[in-house]
Amino acid sequence: MKISSLFGKGKTVFSFEVFPPKNTTPIETIYSTLDELKELSPDFISVTYGARGTSADTTTCDIASYIQNKLGITSAAHLTCVYSTKELVLTRLAQLKERNVENILALRGDINPEMPRLHDFEYASDLTRFIKENGDFHVSGACYPECHIEAVDMVEDIHNLKLKVEAGAEHLMSQLFFDNDAFYSFYEKARIAGINVPIEAGIMPVVNAKQIQRMVSMCGASLPAKFAKTMQRYENNPEALRDAGIAYAVDQIVDLISNGVEGIHLYTMNNPYVAKKISDSIKSML
Ligand code: FAD
């Protein structure tokens, strides 16, 4: 099923993100995680992609295929382009089609200053257009409620986001955020700019102290005082910190649903326990 057909049905879409296991770990380890996530009946599950994938490495495609064909849940494969050739993207499209995966999250990928860039694609919008021209896929895009870290300001970032939608992105998934007001403000600006595709809010439950610093330094999400105080209070108590992180995410989601958000994209961090706790708390509200 194409992701676009999940929206506009009077229900908040609830989706998950998982990542492939490390190279040193067998791919099967993710399958038991996915079996547990299936029980939570998400509308779709997306699978992240390593920025420097090679054609022989079909991990993301294989996991997306497991979700789609073994579990019977709509899946989406992430695909980055900054270190990719057109040829590699065509190979990926063929691999996904072969596996019956119809949805792609088209991304530029992060730039590593130490790696020479390829220039087949400059931006995610170039990849989006290329996918649309070369297959029958639903294409999603990423968006940034607190502005992409490289953009000069929100006006520029939203202008560029509109180009991505015009190139064919039919749905957007947001970067994680802890301040719902940042999301509402971004959402309003996007609508004013004429971006009318569904926008899912990306929610990351923070369940350990290491995760906080890593996430914030990587994506620049701001930390509201309420969030920072909770994390500080429980930083030396792992169980309490996990429960507080889950409660904070639930609180965010309840507020988002009450404000009519079209979808919640939960960054599960491959942790079915946390996903279940959150899902159980909010499923009657979707
Ligand atoms: P783009 O949309 O290309 O934007 C990148 C920057 O370029 C922005 O500052 C934008 O304003 C600017 N820009 C865009 N178009 C133009 C233009 N035409 N002219 C001038 N400037 C322009 N990374 C991975 O490696 N693997 C993953 O699986 C992955 N999954 C993700 C999932 C989500 C939901 C999100 C939010 C991010 C994910 N990322 C992933 C991270 C992502 O690759 C980085 O955030 C990357 O830096 C930007 O990717 P993008 O697709 O948003 O880029």
Side-chain angles (χ1 to χ4, degrees), residues 17-20 46-52 60 77-82 105-111 122-129 140-145 147-161 163-164 172-176 200 202 218-219 265 267:
E17 179 180 293
V18 297
F19 53 82
S46 77
V47 187
T48 66
Y49 183 80
R52 291 171 287 282
T60 296
H78 297 203
L79 184 60
T80 63
C81 63
V82 73
L105 172 56
L107 298 149
R108 186 196 68 179
D110 282 327
I111 291 168
E122 297 298 327
Y123 301 108
S125 50
D126 302 323
L127 176 63
T128 301
R129 195 173 300 105
S140 302
C143 64
Y144 301 83
C147 198
H148 185 260
I149 214 146
E150 291 164 35
V152 172
D153 57 26
M154 197 54 123
V155 173
E156 182 192 287
D157 208 29
I158 289 191
H159 171 78
N160 293 332
L161 185 61
L163 297 179
K164 186 152 60 179
L172 299 169
M173 295 190 226
S174 95
Q175 178 63 282
L176 64 93
E200 271 194 272
M218 271 171 60
C219 72
H265 188 62
Y267 294 96

Side-chain angles (χ1 to χ4, degrees), residues 12-16 177 180 184 201-205 245-261 263-267 274-275 277-279 281-283 285-286:
T12 313
V13 168
F14 186 48
S15 62
F16 293 162
F177 59 90
N180 285 4
Y184 298 138
I203 297 296
M204 159 87 71
I246 292 171
Y248 192 90
V250 168
D251 194 40
Q252 267 193 289
I253 295 172
V254 171
D255 180 67
L256 287 160
I257 295 173
S258 308
N259 279 282
V261 74
I264 302 289
H265 188 62
L266 189 70
Y267 294 96
V274 172
K277 285 278 178 192
I278 293 174
S279 179
S281 304
I282 57 120
K283 68 178 168 215
M285 301 167 208
L286 293 171

Side-chain angles (χ1 to χ4, degrees), residues 8-271:
K9 297 198 165 152
K11 172 189 175 292
T12 313
V13 168
F14 186 48
S15 62
F16 293 162
E17 179 180 293
V18 297
F19 53 82
K22 287 193 181 118
N23 284 346
T24 45
T25 314
I27 190 170
E28 286 71 25
T29 56
I30 186 76
Y31 294 155
S32 55
T33 300
L34 288 165
D35 293 345
E36 288 185 62
L37 291 177
K38 177 191 157 105
E39 300 305 315
L40 310 180
S41 309
D43 290 302
F44 72 90
I45 302 180
S46 77
V47 187
T48 66
Y49 183 80
R52 291 171 287 282
T54 61
S55 61
D57 177 5
T58 57
T59 312
T60 296
C61 300
D62 293 338
I63 298 171
S65 172
Y66 184 86
I67 295 164
Q68 185 71 47
N69 302 306
K70 288 272 182 355
L71 302 183
I73 295 173
T74 299
S75 72
H78 297 203
L79 184 60
T80 63
C81 63
V82 73
Y83 294 108
S84 184
T85 58
K86 287 186 176 172
E87 199 189 344
L88 177 59
V89 171
L90 288 174
T91 305
R92 286 289 178 239
L93 299 187
Q95 289 165 340
L96 290 169
K97 186 163 189 265
E98 204 177 274
R99 290 164 175 76
N100 195 28
V101 175
E102 297 181 278
N103 304 289
I104 299 176
L105 172 56
L107 298 149
R108 186 196 68 179
D110 282 327
I111 291 168
N112 177 348
E114 283 158 30
M115 269 187 76
R117 277 191 70 166
L118 301 178
H119 289 283
D120 276 13
F121 304 97
E122 297 298 327
Y123 301 108
S125 50
D126 302 323
L127 176 63
T128 301
R129 195 173 300 105
F130 187 78
I131 295 171
K132 281 293 180 191
E133 285 166 1
N134 287 283
D136 179 24
F137 291 94
H138 159 101
V139 179
S140 302
C143 64
Y144 301 83
E146 296 180 82
C147 198
H148 185 260
I149 214 146
E150 291 164 35
V152 172
D153 57 26
M154 197 54 123
V155 173
E156 182 192 287
D157 208 29
I158 289 191
H159 171 78
N160 293 332
L161 185 61
K162 188 152 188 231
L163 297 179
K164 186 152 60 179
V165 172
E166 284 167 357
E170 295 149 272
H171 154 245
L172 299 169
M173 295 190 226
S174 95
Q175 178 63 282
L176 64 93
F177 59 90
F178 302 108
D179 177 0
N180 285 4
D181 286 340
F183 181 82
Y184 298 138
S185 166
F186 158 78
Y187 187 92
E188 193 179 4
K189 290 186 182 95
R191 291 295 184 243
I192 290 169
I195 295 170
N196 291 318
V197 297
I199 304 178
E200 271 194 272
I203 297 296
M204 159 87 71
V206 170
V207 292
N208 62 59
K210 240 171 49 196
Q211 211 185 334
I212 307 173
Q213 282 324 318
R214 200 168 152 259
M215 288 304 148
V216 172
S217 63
M218 271 171 60
C219 72
S222 58
L223 299 182
K226 179 180 161 190
F227 177 85
K229 263 191 205 146
T230 315
M231 296 298 129
Q232 228 168 15
R233 180 169 173 94
Y234 301 116
E235 66 187 340
N236 297 316
N237 182 342
E239 197 180 325
L241 182 67
R242 181 197 66 199
D243 291 345
I246 292 171
Y248 192 90
V250 168
D251 194 40
Q252 267 193 289
I253 295 172
V254 171
D255 180 67
L256 287 160
I257 295 173
S258 308
N259 279 282
V261 74
E262 290 143 313
I264 302 289
H265 188 62
L266 189 70
Y267 294 96
T268 69
M269 304 302 288
N270 294 3
N271 186 330

